[in-house]
Every structure is written in C-alpha cells, then in structure tokens.
Amino acid sequence: MLVVKKFGGSSVADRERIMNVARRCIEDYEKGNDVVVVLSAMGKTTDGLLEKAREITETPSKRELDMLLVTGEQVSVALMAMAFQSLGVQAVSLNAAQVAMRTTSAYGQAKLKRIDTERIRNELDARKIVVITGFQGINKYDDMTTLGRGGSDTTAVALAVALHADFCEIYTDVDGVYTADPRIVPNAKKLSEVSYDEMLEFASLGAKVLHNRSVEMAKRYGVKLVVLSSLTRAEGTIIKEKTSMEKMLVSGVAADKNTARISVLGVKDEPGIAFRLFNLLARYRINVDIIIQSVGRDNRKDISFTVARTDLQETMKIINDHLEMLTADSVSADDTVAKISIIGAGMTSNPGVAAKMFEALSGANINIKMIATSEIRITVLIDEEDASRAMRVVHDAFSLAD
Amino acid sequence: MLVVKKFGGSSVADRERIMNVARRCIEDYEKGNDVVVVLSAMGKTTDGLLEKAREITETPSKRELDMLLVTGEQVSVALMAMAFQSLGVQAVSLNAAQVAMRTTSAYGQAKLKRIDTERIRNELDARKIVVITGFQGINKYDDMTTLGRGGSDTTAVALAVALHADFCEIYTDVDGVYTADPRIVPNAKKLSEVSYDEMLEFASLGAKVLHNRSVEMAKRYGVKLVVLSSLTRAEGTIIKEKTSMEKMLVSGVAADKNTARISVLGVKDEPGIAFRLFNLLARYRINVDIIIQSVGRDNRKDISFTVARTDLQETMKIINDHLEMLTADSVSADDTVAKISIIGAGMTSNPGVAAKMFEALSGANINIKMIATSEIRITVLIDEEDASRAMRVVHDAFSLAD
C-alpha cells in the first residue's frame, strides 16, 4: 500500500509533536507500506513570516511573498526527516522544486498542473519515508509559488493522485467530520463516512476540516480521503464516492457566520438586469451565494444575495459605483446574519426534509430570511444571534445524536 | 559596470538594516550599474535553525541540516527584494536552485562547481537588482547544499567571476583591513590596499574580515575585492594582485588565539615517523600549522606542532589511540598559547624583518616558543597572556601607525 499523510501546522508545532507524528508514520511504514508525508509550516511560522514582510512593506510583491513563505514548509520537512532518522528510519525531505511540483504562475494562488513522481518513486523504492512540503510549487519560470488557502490539503490529494495512493490521510485538530460543530452542539456525533459531495457542502459551509479544493480534486480522481486526528487514535471519517446504503437521511448541520446579505433595491423589472449585476460581481471575483429576487411590482423589483462577510465592503463599493447601470435606487446590507445548512445525500428524494427543518426553526421562534437548496443541502439565512440555537434545534429535529 | 555586493547576517538583522542596505545598493544602481546582491541569513537565524535541529536530534544528517539551513538566506533575499520594490526599484530574489549554483555533493561543506548565469543576466538586462542567497548551492541530485564557513563570501566571489564583475564588495562590521586589531592596538591604521597573498595570511591568522576560500578564489580569477563597512561610509580596503610600489615593508600584525601546541614525545629517530603522524592527522582532517622537530638524541626525538584549539581534544585522542604505531612515549598539550604574525609582501627581500620582530618581543620580555615563516609572513608562538602586549610592541616596532 502507498499512503499519503498530511499534517497541518499545529501537528508539527514543536519537537514533541514532530516526534509524535514521526512515530505514527513509522507504524505504517513498518507494516511494509510506502509512506509519503506532506507538511504545512510549523505552528505560527507563516504568520511570523508575513509579519516580517509587513515590516518591510504593506504591499509586498506576491512573487517575493511566495519566495518568503515557502521557507516555512521547508523547515518543517527537514526537521521531520531528521525526526525519522533519529528513530532509525530512512527518510528524505523534498521541496516543491525538487519534486518537481509544477503550478500555474499565479503567485499566492497557484494551481497545481502536474507532479513529476520519479524522484519520489525512487526514494520510496529505496524504502525511505518521503517528506514533502505542502502548499507550494514552482511555476514555468522556476519561481516558487504558493497554492493559497487549503493548499497543503490540495498538495496531499494531488500527490495521492499522481502516485496512485491507496489512501490520503488528512490529520487535523479534530478527529473527523461531525454531524455539527461539537463546540456548539455538544451531542454532535462523528460520522464514519461521508460522500465527496456532502464533504464539499460541509467545507463550503464553514466546517474547517478540509478545504473544498482538495475535496473536489479527490472527487474528480476518486482518491479515498480519511480525516483523522494527529493527537488521538480515534478512527476518523472516510470520504469517498458512495456511502453505505443504510446511511442517514441527513448527515449533519453546519453554520457559517462569514456571510452578509446585500439588497439591491428598485431595479427595473426587465430582462438582463440580474445578469448585469452578477456579471459585474464576477468580474471583480466576488462569490455570490444565495440569491432571491422579489416579484416585480410597478416595473420595479429588488434583488438580494449573500456574499462572504469579508467581501462585503468591496461589494458595496462596486454596486454603489454602478447604481445607474443597474437601474437601482439604492443598496443596503446586513452583516448580522448567519447561514444554517443541513447536508445529506439521502435527502434529495425526501421532500419532507425541508419542512422538518423549517418546523424546527419555527418552533424555536427563529425567523428565516432567505432559503437556498441544492441536491444535497438546504440552507437558510437567519439572524446571527440565533445561529447556535438554530443548530441545536435542527440537530435534534433530525435525531443526529442518536 | 557590474558590481557584486555581499552583506553578512548582521547587516540584514532587522528591518532598519535591510532598508539601509537597500538604499546603499540603489545608489549604485542609479548610477547605471548592474547590481547583484548576495546575502547571508538574518542575524542569529542560522543559530536558531541549528537549535531547532538539535531539539530533534544531536546528530542530524548533513543533507537534512542543509535543507533546513538554506531557508535562512531565502528569507533574507525575499525580504531584501521587497525592500527594493518598496523603494521603487525593480528587484528579484533567487535561491541557489533558481540560479542554478551547482556544487559538489558534500553536504555542509560543498564546493561550488559552476554557476549558470543566464537567469541572472536576463534579470539584470531587465534592469532589476538581483538578490541571491549566499552560502548555498544544489548538487547533482538537485539537493540543497551549504558551503561551510565563509560560504557567503565565496558565493559572492564566485558570482563575480561568473558574471565578470568589475568589483566584488564585501560589506562587514569593520570598515576594512587594519594593520592590527584596533581593539588590541588602539593606534592601528586602516590599509587602503593589500595583496591577495597578504589577505590570505591575515585571514588565516585570525583577522575575521574575509574567509580564505573567497580570497583564494578571488586571487585565482583576479577578482577585485573591496572590504568595507555596511554601517559607515568610510572607504574600505581594496584587495588585488599587486599593491602600489611604495607600500610598506610590513602590512600588519595579527594574533590568533585559536591555537594549541601538541608535543609527541620520544618517537624513534628514523625515516617515516613524521609522515605517519601527519598522514594520520590528515586522514582525520586535522589541519596542522607550525611544526618543529627536535634534533634526535639516543635515537629518540620529539615532534611538536600546533592545531586549532577547537581540534585539540580530537587530535589528542587520535594520537593517544596510535601511540604504538607512532613509536611515541607520550603526548602533551598546551592550549594557553597564541600565534602572533607579521604580514607583508615587502619583507621577503628584507632579511632584517624577522630580527626586528624578535628584538621587539625580546625587549618586552616575551618568550618565543616556536617560529614559522612563509614568503610573506613570520609567525611566532608565545604565551596567550602575552598576546596583546606582543601585538602592540611589534606594531610599534614597524611604525605601522604612522
């Protein structure tokens, strides 16, 4: 078997944790498996490097910022290789240039294009554990790039694809995917498996276990992902194409507070207005989530939608700068909202699911402001202050703790 | 003109110093010169990385140690490129792999083999300041290597050779080469120029301005070296092949306390014994300096020599382990000694120089334990406690302050 194991920054934050990770990997290695380890930068290293850059200039060039940041993972992999060697196991660290991990040229948000596996294969054939820098690559100029958010997970999955790995294990602070955030819903239950699509919904809805990019890639190439804890021995959650037949209708509940509602008021009720609006936002790379359009009256209507709260200021500015083109009277915003979603591949064929969710919220006197549904999720927008309570009543309504 | 400028770790230790270095380099750039900057790791970065490695294992593999250490210079060059850009000057940082700076495979003490200059030339042609990591290279496996002590100076000189630079400027804490260490000899004078050979002697005798490797390379390829301070605007010392005709007989006085005397006592007075001894030490890579062999008596003789004090323990162990092979009775050591040397290309044809030095020491009641001479230096071994006094009286005897 060939296993790719990815450990995040907190899993390698100090000597003790590095040795702990090394010992766990060696267990697998000693079963005869080929082991590839992907690491992030230690603890707060990346923040420290960003701070150093900020001392020099508030607007460092992205190329130089990447050149700076990639040192973080390189420190991790060198120390981890030393840790393996100190435990008597052959190991070798490789950075993105050595692999080589080719990416697009977009510094700070590069996308992986292809991975040369020859060096890795040779090292594995020599029975070494291969420790590889996550989050980074090299572009066609042989310059260092970084992959942006969730980059190390993506590196791990991409290596699993390129090496035809049997498993890609993502080690995190939590020991798997839960029916809801256990800090908010104390009786939340760990899921033994979820489908790629469900995981994508969990990820996009604020469950910070895995980044969407890595799940999408895993889905596309059928990589078996396992999410588990680097600190405990608990069994994790397996993410794969199909989950077992007897699985639950609803897999879990997620809350996302990084959202804000924007309403563009009084636009002309004629074709093409919505296109103009969302085309405009797309040009500025603003991701829009739930959209509602009011029924037109007196040839006027309102269009409301949600964006990430971090995009709110910019979105408001863009729309205000284009009110005329949008034929709008005004624009308003509300950033005290939250999205609550239920996720489950089983619910598509069960029309009663949405009703049950709305009933639970209504019973708790929680007002629903917007609704959006997809194949495998139902999302409602509510007041932010109701978010935790909403999660608990919905979690209970679907008996997810049982 | 093309100028290579090398700055050590203390010159880039913090934001203020980085900006200071950037501004100085821009002055040259704005005269129309092509500027290549070579940097060491910031301040105590390398020590910090070594400490991290030591926390994992006392005996890290050299390959992984190099993989770890090279991140230090990479941080420096990325920040420096940002500094240039923040001052409105185009710049690009390159690590050893990007250059590519090819070395032998010996991790921790690699030697530069060749430098590809295409990337650097292209960046210079685009009127960028090119900022390159000192101290490091890549070997034939595409693994990172480090060049060992004095590595960044060597990188700078090698780049000056490869790029046919007009000057290679080495910026340090001091503003040039002095007739003696000014902390010990207050009226020591800065030399405006010295020859490569004199500089080699100064370097090997404890003047920590430049490492021998870089001077040797500069001499071999005729690179004009300039030593100057990154903190002041004082004119530095030029190091070149021939110095001007009217130069002084003696250029300076140097003291080296990193020395210890070892005496191998009572070896057989027969051919091959000295060879056995020094061949043995060479096998263990122990550098031997001054050697004295006593005149044989009763078919027995003593061999004394000096080694770096840091090699004393190991040397004693090696000799004690081989007393029989060396036909020796015993071995003794003295680590309370120091070497005092006078250096000067002009003194080879002046037999009175040595006498004047001995006279000055004798006049100060300082006992000479061993003597060694070369083309351009005379070295005596004396008690360590006499070292500073000896420097001053010799400095005065040759009127070096005038």
Side-chain angles (χ1 to χ4, degrees), chain A residues 10-23 42 231, chain B residues 55-56:
Chain A
S10 62
S11 301
V12 292
D14 56 34
R15 180 196 175 280
E16 202 182 332
R17 290 182 186 207
I18 289 174
M19 296 308 290
N20 171 49
V21 166
R23 278 186 287 265
M42 294 168 74
L231 302 173
Chain B
E55 281 176 14
I56 301 287

PDB file of all heavy atoms in Angstrom, chain A residues 10-23 42 231, chain B residues 55-56:
ATOM      1  N   SER A  10      -0.341  22.853  13.225  1.00  0.00           N
ATOM      2  CA  SER A  10      -0.397  22.636  14.672  1.00  0.00           C
ATOM      3  C   SER A  10       0.101  21.235  15.024  1.00  0.00           C
ATOM      4  O   SER A  10       0.537  20.993  16.139  1.00  0.00           O
ATOM      5  CB  SER A  10      -1.819  22.858  15.191  1.00  0.00           C
ATOM      6  OG  SER A  10      -2.692  21.936  14.592  1.00  0.00           O
ATOM      7  N   SER A  11       0.051  20.301  14.065  1.00  0.00           N
ATOM      8  CA  SER A  11       0.525  18.937  14.322  1.00  0.00           C
ATOM      9  C   SER A  11       2.050  18.844  14.351  1.00  0.00           C
ATOM     10  O   SER A  11       2.601  17.835  14.776  1.00  0.00           O
ATOM     11  CB  SER A  11      -0.008  17.975  13.252  1.00  0.00           C
ATOM     12  OG  SER A  11      -1.408  17.963  13.228  1.00  0.00           O
ATOM     13  N   VAL A  12       2.731  19.884  13.865  1.00  0.00           N
ATOM     14  CA  VAL A  12       4.197  19.870  13.863  1.00  0.00           C
ATOM     15  C   VAL A  12       4.746  21.121  14.549  1.00  0.00           C
ATOM     16  O   VAL A  12       5.838  21.590  14.243  1.00  0.00           O
ATOM     17  CB  VAL A  12       4.767  19.765  12.423  1.00  0.00           C
ATOM     18  CG1 VAL A  12       4.463  18.409  11.834  1.00  0.00           C
ATOM     19  CG2 VAL A  12       4.201  20.864  11.531  1.00  0.00           C
ATOM     20  N   ALA A  13       3.955  21.658  15.490  1.00  0.00           N
ATOM     21  CA  ALA A  13       4.278  22.962  16.076  1.00  0.00           C
ATOM     22  C   ALA A  13       5.523  22.944  16.951  1.00  0.00           C
ATOM     23  O   ALA A  13       6.175  23.972  17.122  1.00  0.00           O
ATOM     24  CB  ALA A  13       3.092  23.489  16.879  1.00  0.00           C
ATOM     25  N   ASP A  14       5.872  21.797  17.527  1.00  0.00           N
ATOM     26  CA  ASP A  14       7.070  21.746  18.369  1.00  0.00           C
ATOM     27  C   ASP A  14       7.698  20.354  18.308  1.00  0.00           C
ATOM     28  O   ASP A  14       7.179  19.447  17.643  1.00  0.00           O
ATOM     29  CB  ASP A  14       6.736  22.137  19.815  1.00  0.00           C
ATOM     30  CG  ASP A  14       5.638  21.262  20.394  1.00  0.00           C
ATOM     31  OD1 ASP A  14       5.580  20.052  20.047  1.00  0.00           O
ATOM     32  OD2 ASP A  14       4.817  21.765  21.168  1.00  0.00           O
ATOM     33  N   ARG A  15       8.826  20.232  18.999  1.00  0.00           N
ATOM     34  CA  ARG A  15       9.578  18.989  18.966  1.00  0.00           C
ATOM     35  C   ARG A  15       8.716  17.775  19.308  1.00  0.00           C
ATOM     36  O   ARG A  15       8.727  16.759  18.619  1.00  0.00           O
ATOM     37  CB  ARG A  15      10.735  19.069  19.969  1.00  0.00           C
ATOM     38  CG  ARG A  15      11.566  17.825  20.012  1.00  0.00           C
ATOM     39  CD  ARG A  15      12.444  17.711  21.224  1.00  0.00           C
ATOM     40  NE  ARG A  15      13.098  16.403  21.181  1.00  0.00           N
ATOM     41  CZ  ARG A  15      12.521  15.277  21.546  1.00  0.00           C
ATOM     42  NH1 ARG A  15      11.283  15.280  21.997  1.00  0.00           N
ATOM     43  NH2 ARG A  15      13.172  14.123  21.451  1.00  0.00           N
ATOM     44  N   GLU A  16       7.938  17.913  20.386  1.00  0.00           N
ATOM     45  CA  GLU A  16       7.159  16.785  20.873  1.00  0.00           C
ATOM     46  C   GLU A  16       6.167  16.301  19.816  1.00  0.00           C
ATOM     47  O   GLU A  16       6.016  15.098  19.568  1.00  0.00           O
ATOM     48  CB  GLU A  16       6.414  17.229  22.140  1.00  0.00           C
ATOM     49  CG  GLU A  16       5.983  16.105  23.043  1.00  0.00           C
ATOM     50  CD  GLU A  16       5.205  16.661  24.228  1.00  0.00           C
ATOM     51  OE1 GLU A  16       5.457  17.827  24.610  1.00  0.00           O
ATOM     52  OE2 GLU A  16       4.336  15.946  24.736  1.00  0.00           O
ATOM     53  N   ARG A  17       5.500  17.273  19.191  1.00  0.00           N
ATOM     54  CA  ARG A  17       4.511  16.895  18.188  1.00  0.00           C
ATOM     55  C   ARG A  17       5.151  16.317  16.934  1.00  0.00           C
ATOM     56  O   ARG A  17       4.608  15.407  16.309  1.00  0.00           O
ATOM     57  CB  ARG A  17       3.660  18.120  17.822  1.00  0.00           C
ATOM     58  CG  ARG A  17       2.753  18.518  18.967  1.00  0.00           C
ATOM     59  CD  ARG A  17       1.889  19.680  18.584  1.00  0.00           C
ATOM     60  NE  ARG A  17       1.128  20.121  19.749  1.00  0.00           N
ATOM     61  CZ  ARG A  17      -0.035  20.736  19.671  1.00  0.00           C
ATOM     62  NH1 ARG A  17      -0.566  20.990  18.502  1.00  0.00           N
ATOM     63  NH2 ARG A  17      -0.664  21.095  20.764  1.00  0.00           N
ATOM     64  N   ILE A  18       6.315  16.855  16.586  1.00  0.00           N
ATOM     65  CA  ILE A  18       7.024  16.308  15.424  1.00  0.00           C
ATOM     66  C   ILE A  18       7.381  14.847  15.674  1.00  0.00           C
ATOM     67  O   ILE A  18       7.167  13.984  14.820  1.00  0.00           O
ATOM     68  CB  ILE A  18       8.298  17.140  15.129  1.00  0.00           C
ATOM     69  CG1 ILE A  18       7.902  18.516  14.560  1.00  0.00           C
ATOM     70  CG2 ILE A  18       9.221  16.405  14.174  1.00  0.00           C
ATOM     71  CD1 ILE A  18       9.066  19.469  14.375  1.00  0.00           C
ATOM     72  N   MET A  19       7.890  14.558  16.881  1.00  0.00           N
ATOM     73  CA  MET A  19       8.269  13.178  17.191  1.00  0.00           C
ATOM     74  C   MET A  19       7.029  12.291  17.216  1.00  0.00           C
ATOM     75  O   MET A  19       7.068  11.131  16.791  1.00  0.00           O
ATOM     76  CB  MET A  19       9.005  13.121  18.536  1.00  0.00           C
ATOM     77  CG  MET A  19      10.329  13.863  18.584  1.00  0.00           C
ATOM     78  SD  MET A  19      11.501  13.434  17.268  1.00  0.00           S
ATOM     79  CE  MET A  19      11.961  11.770  17.740  1.00  0.00           C
ATOM     80  N   ASN A  20       5.935  12.826  17.710  1.00  0.00           N
ATOM     81  CA  ASN A  20       4.679  12.087  17.739  1.00  0.00           C
ATOM     82  C   ASN A  20       4.219  11.715  16.332  1.00  0.00           C
ATOM     83  O   ASN A  20       3.849  10.571  16.047  1.00  0.00           O
ATOM     84  CB  ASN A  20       3.624  12.946  18.456  1.00  0.00           C
ATOM     85  CG  ASN A  20       2.233  12.377  18.346  1.00  0.00           C
ATOM     86  OD1 ASN A  20       2.028  11.193  18.610  1.00  0.00           O
ATOM     87  ND2 ASN A  20       1.291  13.201  17.927  1.00  0.00           N
ATOM     88  N   VAL A  21       4.276  12.690  15.435  1.00  0.00           N
ATOM     89  CA  VAL A  21       3.894  12.443  14.044  1.00  0.00           C
ATOM     90  C   VAL A  21       4.824  11.393  13.427  1.00  0.00           C
ATOM     91  O   VAL A  21       4.372  10.462  12.747  1.00  0.00           O
ATOM     92  CB  VAL A  21       3.950  13.756  13.224  1.00  0.00           C
ATOM     93  CG1 VAL A  21       3.905  13.472  11.730  1.00  0.00           C
ATOM     94  CG2 VAL A  21       2.800  14.679  13.623  1.00  0.00           C
ATOM     95  N   ALA A  22       6.124  11.538  13.706  1.00  0.00           N
ATOM     96  CA  ALA A  22       7.089  10.593  13.144  1.00  0.00           C
ATOM     97  C   ALA A  22       6.773   9.163  13.589  1.00  0.00           C
ATOM     98  O   ALA A  22       6.750   8.232  12.779  1.00  0.00           O
ATOM     99  CB  ALA A  22       8.506  10.984  13.555  1.00  0.00           C
ATOM    100  N   ARG A  23       6.485   9.009  14.874  1.00  0.00           N
ATOM    101  CA  ARG A  23       6.202   7.668  15.385  1.00  0.00           C
ATOM    102  C   ARG A  23       4.955   7.061  14.734  1.00  0.00           C
ATOM    103  O   ARG A  23       4.916   5.879  14.411  1.00  0.00           O
ATOM    104  CB  ARG A  23       6.083   7.699  16.908  1.00  0.00           C
ATOM    105  CG  ARG A  23       7.452   7.656  17.605  1.00  0.00           C
ATOM    106  CD  ARG A  23       7.320   7.528  19.117  1.00  0.00           C
ATOM    107  NE  ARG A  23       6.860   8.776  19.701  1.00  0.00           N
ATOM    108  CZ  ARG A  23       7.675   9.718  20.219  1.00  0.00           C
ATOM    109  NH1 ARG A  23       8.980   9.515  20.252  1.00  0.00           N
ATOM    110  NH2 ARG A  23       7.183  10.817  20.715  1.00  0.00           N
ATOM    111  N   MET A  42       5.351  24.991  10.494  1.00  0.00           N
ATOM    112  CA  MET A  42       5.140  24.769  11.921  1.00  0.00           C
ATOM    113  C   MET A  42       4.322  25.894  12.550  1.00  0.00           C
ATOM    114  O   MET A  42       4.650  27.069  12.399  1.00  0.00           O
ATOM    115  CB  MET A  42       6.481  24.726  12.653  1.00  0.00           C
ATOM    116  CG  MET A  42       7.365  23.560  12.301  1.00  0.00           C
ATOM    117  SD  MET A  42       9.048  23.813  12.952  1.00  0.00           S
ATOM    118  CE  MET A  42       8.795  23.521  14.721  1.00  0.00           C
ATOM    119  N   LEU A 231      -3.685  13.786  17.226  1.00  0.00           N
ATOM    120  CA  LEU A 231      -3.446  13.719  18.672  1.00  0.00           C
ATOM    121  C   LEU A 231      -4.063  12.478  19.309  1.00  0.00           C
ATOM    122  O   LEU A 231      -3.551  11.969  20.298  1.00  0.00           O
ATOM    123  CB  LEU A 231      -4.001  14.982  19.339  1.00  0.00           C
ATOM    124  CG  LEU A 231      -3.411  16.294  18.799  1.00  0.00           C
ATOM    125  CD1 LEU A 231      -4.122  17.490  19.368  1.00  0.00           C
ATOM    126  CD2 LEU A 231      -1.909  16.361  19.077  1.00  0.00           C
TER     127      LEU A 231
ATOM    128  N   GLU B  55      17.099  20.129  18.860  1.00  0.00           N
ATOM    129  CA  GLU B  55      15.983  19.656  19.688  1.00  0.00           C
ATOM    130  C   GLU B  55      15.468  18.297  19.201  1.00  0.00           C
ATOM    131  O   GLU B  55      14.969  17.507  19.977  1.00  0.00           O
ATOM    132  CB  GLU B  55      14.827  20.662  19.636  1.00  0.00           C
ATOM    133  CG  GLU B  55      15.027  21.876  20.514  1.00  0.00           C
ATOM    134  CD  GLU B  55      13.893  22.877  20.332  1.00  0.00           C
ATOM    135  OE1 GLU B  55      12.852  22.513  19.751  1.00  0.00           O
ATOM    136  OE2 GLU B  55      14.063  24.030  20.763  1.00  0.00           O
ATOM    137  N   ILE B  56      15.579  18.080  17.896  1.00  0.00           N
ATOM    138  CA  ILE B  56      15.100  16.813  17.324  1.00  0.00           C
ATOM    139  C   ILE B  56      16.137  15.722  17.533  1.00  0.00           C
ATOM    140  O   ILE B  56      15.835  14.621  17.978  1.00  0.00           O
ATOM    141  CB  ILE B  56      14.816  16.964  15.809  1.00  0.00           C
ATOM    142  CG1 ILE B  56      13.767  18.044  15.561  1.00  0.00           C
ATOM    143  CG2 ILE B  56      14.394  15.633  15.195  1.00  0.00           C
ATOM    144  CD1 ILE B  56      12.366  17.687  15.928  1.00  0.00           C
TER     145      ILE B  56
END
